[in-house]
Amino acid sequence: MKCTACNEGVLTPSFIDSLFRAHTCNHCGGNWILVEDFLAWQENNPEHQFDDELEYEEELSESSKALFCPITGSLMTKFRISSKTSHRIDYSVTTGGIWLDQGEWLLLKQEGIAGSLNRIVTQPWQNKIRAQNTKDNFIHMYESKFGKENYAKVKELKNWLQSHPQKADLRAYLLADDPYSAKK
């Protein structure tokens, strides 16, 4: 098979970390992985823990262009791997294959999600990333608006208030213009 990313190399049979089958480009170092190979390995090695205490120094390459499945030639879909990074992996719906650019496997391990390779390409995983991004955007907005110190204080107050048994009365007191008056 010809490499889908660089279009120069050839995908040769290999193993990822000597664990499960893949095909690696002899030119750019990218990896083609069939999800079924990953799942078969995972099923036979349920206790395996990936080392996530990695310091990855190399520059990570990522294909920003659309990639085509090396087996069928159909367009692959890009999936975000986490909310912490903008990197995306490419997935072929037709074959169940995942393309990892050189260094992306190490990034998955560093992020602690290498064992979730098959779940990254699911809608629930992508929804979780979107929800986290939305939360991060609101945090940034509140920190910008209130200042980090004030935001931390108001968050602490909110958490205390939420867990207090008299939270409704406390809210009414806080929201009243004059809590010592009977006027509305």
Side-chain angles (χ1 to χ4, degrees):
M1 288 184 288
K2 191 165 180 140
C3 178
T4 187
C6 71
N7 293 317
E8 293 181 34
V10 175
L11 300 178
T12 57
S14 63
F15 283 84
I16 300 288
D17 283 347
S18 302
L19 301 173
F20 55 89
R21 291 187 309 183
H23 286 80
T24 302
C25 176
N26 62 3
H27 183 262
C28 71
N31 293 291
W32 174 248
I33 302 164
L34 292 177
V35 172
E36 65 189 54
D37 289 336
F38 176 77
L39 289 174
W41 170 81
Q42 197 175 45
E43 210 172 88
N44 292 324
N45 299 279
E47 303 300 316
H48 184 82
Q49 296 293 313
F50 290 101
D51 182 14
D52 59 0
E53 300 291 320
L54 301 170
E55 291 293 323
Y56 189 66
E57 304 278 329
E58 283 183 47
E59 189 171 321
L60 193 61
S61 65
E62 180 181 18
S63 300
S64 57
K65 63 180 182 175
L67 297 183
F68 296 93
C69 175
I71 297 173
T72 65
S74 59
L75 191 63
M76 293 197 290
T77 307
K78 292 190 177 291
F79 287 89
R80 295 259 325 253
I81 62 170
S82 77
S83 61
K84 299 176 196 171
T85 178
S86 63
H87 274 82
R88 299 170 186 270
I89 61 172
D90 298 276
Y91 177 67
S92 171
V93 177
T94 55
T95 61
I98 294 175
W99 177 260
L100 297 178
D101 292 310
Q102 184 176 15
E104 285 182 332
W105 175 249
L106 291 175
L107 177 64
L108 292 173
K109 291 189 339 183
Q110 187 177 336
E111 294 283 326
I113 55 177
S116 301
L117 181 62
N118 58 309
R119 291 192 298 269
I120 292 171
V121 297
T122 64
Q123 196 60 50
W125 187 276
Q126 295 301 306
N127 289 345
K128 188 173 90 176
I129 291 172
R130 278 190 212 93
Q132 184 61 50
N133 284 341
T134 300
K135 181 180 178 181
D136 292 345
N137 288 337
F138 274 110
I139 289 171
H140 178 71
M141 180 185 72
Y142 291 138
E143 286 178 345
S144 295
K145 189 173 193 159
F146 306 143
K148 285 187 178 194
E149 190 175 312
N150 288 336
Y151 177 58
K153 285 179 184 177
V154 79
K155 264 184 26 179
E156 184 180 337
L157 176 62
K158 183 180 183 339
N159 290 337
W160 172 80
L161 189 59
Q162 288 294 96
S163 63
H164 199 282
Q166 293 175 307
K167 63 183 167 190
D169 293 334
L170 290 169
R171 280 190 199 128
Y173 175 83
L174 286 172
L175 294 174
D177 286 338
D178 182 1
Y180 305 104
S181 169
K183 295 180 187 176
K184 286 192 177 185

